[in-house]
Amino acid sequence: MDEHALLGLNPNADATYRQRALAYFEQLKDSQDAWQVCAEALVKGLYNDDHVKFFCFQVLEHQIKFRHGELSAVQQQLIRETLMKWLQLQLNAQPEKAFIRNKAAQVFALAFVTEYLTQWPKFFFDILALIGLNPRGVDLYLRTLMAIDAEVVDRDILHSSEETRRNTLIKDTMREQCIPSLVESWYQILHTFQHSHFELTCQCLEVVGAYVSWIDLNLIANDRFVNLLLSHMSVEVLREEACDCLFEIINKGMDPVDKTKLVESLCQVLQTAGFFNVEQEEDVDFLAKFSKLVNGMGQSLVVSWTKLTKAGDLKSSQETLQAVEAKVPLMLRLLVHEDDDISANIVGFCYDYLHVLKQLPLLTDQQKANIEAIMVAVMKKLTYDDEYNFENEGEDEAMFVEYRKQLKLLLDRLAQVSPELLLDSVRRVFNTTMHWQTVPFMEVEVAIRLLYMLGEALPAHQGAHFSGDVAKASTLQDMMRTLVTCGVSEYQHTSVTLEFFETVVRYDKFFIVEPQHIPNVLMAFLDQRGLRNGSPKVRSRVAYLLSRFVKTLHKHMNAYIEDILNRIQDLLELSPPENGYPTLLTSDDQLFVFETAGVLIVGSECAAERKQALMRNLLTPLMERFKLLLGKLLQEQDEERQAALADCLNHAVGFASRTSKAFSNKQTVKQCGCSEVYRDCLETFVPALSCPVQREALRSGVRTFLHRMIICLEEEVLPFIPAASEHMLKDCEAKDLQEFIPLINQITTKFKGQVSPFLQQVFMPLVQAFFQVLAQPAEENDQTAALEKQMLRRSYFAFIQTITSNASVNEVIANQGAENIERVLFTIIQGAVDFPDPVAQRTCFIILSKLVEHWGGKDGLVGFPDFIYKHIVPACFLAPLKPTFDLSDAQTILTLSECALTLKMIHIKRGPEFIQYLQQEYLPSLQVTPDITQELCQVLQQPDSKVLKNYIKAFFQRAKL
């Protein structure tokens, strides 16, 4: 072997050596017989370096995986001998490092999968005969079994249908030929090594757990084997693995009556051995595994009960239900365990048990008591512990949040089984805790949290919790009244504060019933409890929640609007990038506050003049700051400061835009007298489009504002569009164009004929801008540039489509002069045929169809019929005939449909003349036979376009054969 190349295998080797090692590996892989050098090195133990040994196994692995079919019978035999000789060497040598043993096991597993069904049926017998009960041999045997499981059984690994078929055949053959022997070997390993080699025993338990899902269960679920497993449950180092193994046995699919018997016999033994006394067990890792085992047993019994009930076997289903009930006390003890992992592992059984109770016609007193016990457990376990870090939430905190979600599912299920009991329990806990002054924060938080959770657990149509069912409505109403009047919003802990505001907003409909509480709650939102809280997390969340609260209840806030606006005024200031002071709210939070202010003004009952004045007070400071900062940006040289200023300018535009979300069809900008203020905003913001620095950021912000104003100001926005367009088209790049087109399309669609003069003016400059950018050279392999051009073409075609779709605007193209029209038309033909992009092609055929509709008749555009026959008709046939036109792709089929509709439209506009052209000139030129030509022409003349679409698909499928 190339000793110099091998030096590069060491992870600490320098790059040159590593490169050489890599090249050597490729050379050995590709060579017909160089791998034999590696085989010899392994068998003779020529190298002590672990990395070289690993390398040799990698070379062998590659041969078996990718070149096995090319090897001669002698070479295949050599691989088998190499593996067995290497295994024999291991029996008395120093054990290899774990990573080498794992790699060796993978290679053994690959050899097995490749040769077991053909050349090596005695694979397992050969290995077992060689290793006997030698610990090093047993270790490699068990590792190989787990590697085979990964190759053949593991459902998490995706296999091709061919591999799946092979794997099924392997399992079937193993069941017939060797599984009993393997199981016997596992028993002997477990029995022999249980006191001397704990690691081997654990490995073997893992193997049993992995294989039990697909082998005959009677081989494992018998007294001899189960007693051995149960004895391992009492050995500290083995019991977690034994627990997992028992879990896999329990989980195996089988007859429901047999499953119940298996679970019951196992439970009896575990209970007798004292495992159910979980309070006396201190090892939480073991208890987590034991909880998972009990969960598996419980869920298995529930599945059996369901099957037996469906089958109408009442006696067996009753026995199974009794078995389920017998596990409930243990389930409850695990559910309330202080360790959340132990508790979380039993939630599944608990959930399924409640589902069983939900299906029973009558509940016994014991079952009702069980429901109550689960409820108490859930309430207890929802509580934060002292260690939870609210300021710096890490992995433990994230796990508790996930665990809480599981408990919430249990609470929802409890509500389905016994809503009255849940409501009553929550009410009791809540009322006791709301004497909050001396209660720890975690108890106060969970009491409010439970009230919040009732909102989802007891669903009400559109949140109408305070009407309908009187008992429920009055209980919730009482709790809400207590929440907002007991002063708990003053509690000095972020978790309580957040829960208070979340709950107030969840039940915002309560304030429609009792509006007298709105002022006090508003004050909580606005003062140091809410928007001015010491915690940024609380301030941020409250900014959002306030906007929701106001949206629902603004009609009840008329008396306080100006007071609220005064109180939030300092929070609406645009924080300048230069002063470096921390602000109370981030710009994202401020968006919600601006929206809130907008909703209050627009929704108020005051006259239009007053609304205008209030809106002007809100937006004028933004406009003034904008002008000032834009001036600074134009003088600023430092790039970082430029970016900060542009960011701030964008926030100003975003805030103004957000206030407009308050308007609706009923309350338009015009009706509220606010048009002038937003026109002033446009006058202030549009000049930023011509700012030479930070163009992309500024253009993006102003463009978004323009989109918004097209909706809000309607035709009053039109005077601003020409100037804005001029700025945006100046020195524009692909991205600018792509983002400008939706704006033009929105204007065209909304205002139609009103914008024809403007479109007339901008059409060719815009088209030329497209041509210029598309013509820019790009590297051949530059995927990003290619994708950018593809998206730009799509934008261009979308623009043309918008114009051709509007009859009143369609004349815009007709008035561009013959040369320009021709140029544009050819780009559409090119888009339909030459670029393999079905999205763009479909758009092009839609455009062609529209153009034929507008100009293809008797009084259409001069010379256009000629264009139809010379270019549009050929496009309809040449595009689908291209090799890149994939008729099995859904998007392409949509394109083909539009292509068929284009042909249909030509027939509608040109009539028999078109049919004659197809029959006598065009189709014969494509060598289409007369009978197929006749067939196509007949289908074209039928009124049903669906028939045509189906025919065209079949036509091109035949043509491509």
Side-chain angles (χ1 to χ4, degrees), residues 76-264:
Q76 290 175 353
Q77 180 62 27
L78 177 62
I79 287 183
R80 290 194 285 278
E81 285 170 7
T82 300
L83 291 176
M84 295 306 283
K85 280 179 186 169
W86 180 83
L87 179 59
Q88 191 169 12
L89 272 180
Q90 304 312 305
L91 300 182
N92 302 308
Q94 270 300 101
E96 296 286 8
K97 296 256 172 59
F99 77 95
I100 292 176
R101 283 181 279 162
N102 285 337
K103 178 50 78 179
Q106 279 177 353
V107 175
F108 269 94
L110 272 175
F112 166 78
V113 165
T114 313
E115 298 199 330
Y116 175 61
L117 295 170
T118 49
Q119 293 106 310
W120 202 355
K122 299 235 173 306
F123 177 86
F124 290 113
F125 298 109
D126 290 352
I127 289 177
L128 287 169
L130 178 63
I131 63 168
L133 283 169
N134 176 294
R136 295 188 189 92
V138 167
D139 171 81
L140 285 157
Y141 164 61
L142 294 172
R143 285 175 195 267
T144 300
L145 283 168
M146 287 311 291
I148 288 171
D149 174 72
E151 285 287 337
V152 177
V153 185
D154 193 334
R155 288 189 179 87
D156 294 334
I157 295 169
L158 282 174
H159 291 294
S160 68
S161 55
E162 184 54 42
E163 286 170 339
T164 307
R165 212 168 53 76
R166 176 205 67 190
N167 293 346
T168 306
L169 201 54
I170 287 175
K171 285 189 287 186
D172 289 344
T173 312
M174 282 177 72
R175 285 190 195 99
E176 277 173 33
Q177 293 179 359
C178 64
I179 287 295
S181 305
L182 295 187
V183 173
E184 183 55 35
S185 76
W186 302 337
Y187 180 81
Q188 295 304 332
I189 290 166
L190 292 172
H191 192 267
T192 307
F193 296 115
Q194 60 185 335
H195 302 301
S196 57
H197 290 76
F198 295 132
E199 201 175 312
L200 284 182
T201 312
C202 284
Q203 265 177 276
C204 192
L205 287 168
E206 191 185 353
V207 167
V208 175
Y211 279 71
V212 79
S213 69
W214 60 275
I215 64 175
D216 177 4
L217 189 63
N218 293 320
L219 294 169
I220 305 285
N222 50 51
D223 288 348
R224 182 174 83 132
F225 220 109
V226 170
N227 287 337
L228 186 59
L229 291 176
L230 288 167
S231 71
H232 295 160
M233 290 282 285
S234 306
V235 182
E236 200 163 320
V237 284
L238 301 179
R239 58 190 191 161
E240 285 183 37
E241 217 42 84
C243 234
D244 277 346
C245 188
L246 286 170
F247 172 79
E248 293 300 339
I249 292 170
I250 289 296
N251 243 13
K252 184 174 170 70
M254 57 194 289
D255 171 78
V257 176
D258 292 346
K259 175 63 73 79
T260 302
K261 282 179 187 159
L262 174 66
V263 171
E264 284 305 83

Side-chain angles (χ1 to χ4, degrees), residues 424-495:
D424 198 45
S425 305
V426 171
R427 183 177 54 77
R428 272 205 313 275
V429 170
F430 183 81
N431 288 342
T432 313
T433 315
M434 281 305 113
H435 306 292
W436 53 271
Q437 287 79 353
T438 54
V439 183
F441 84 85
M442 55 279 272
E443 289 177 34
V444 180
E445 190 276 344
V446 93
I448 305 173
R449 179 83 177 175
L450 284 165
L451 170 56
Y452 177 87
M453 286 169 128
L454 283 178
E456 270 180 30
L458 307 170
H461 182 60
Q462 294 185 328
H465 289 286
F466 304 97
S467 56
D469 179 346
V470 178
K472 177 187 139 187
S474 64
T475 307
L476 280 173
Q477 207 164 318
D478 290 346
M479 285 193 274
M480 277 304 294
R481 192 181 307 113
T482 304
L483 179 72
V484 297
T485 56
C486 72
V488 73
S489 60
E490 300 279 358
Y491 201 105
Q492 297 296 301
H493 196 281
T494 55
S495 70

Side-chain angles (χ1 to χ4, degrees), residues 586-624:
T586 67
S587 53
D588 284 349
D589 302 335
Q590 279 182 296
L591 281 170
F592 290 114
V593 184
F594 271 98
E595 190 177 337
T596 301
V599 170
L600 285 169
I601 294 168
V602 173
S604 71
E605 287 171 2
C606 49
E609 297 78 46
R610 186 72 195 128
K611 285 185 186 180
Q612 184 184 7
L614 290 170
M615 197 58 92
R616 193 168 281 289
N617 288 347
L618 183 64
L619 296 177
T620 301
L622 282 181
M623 292 188 256
E624 286 170 356

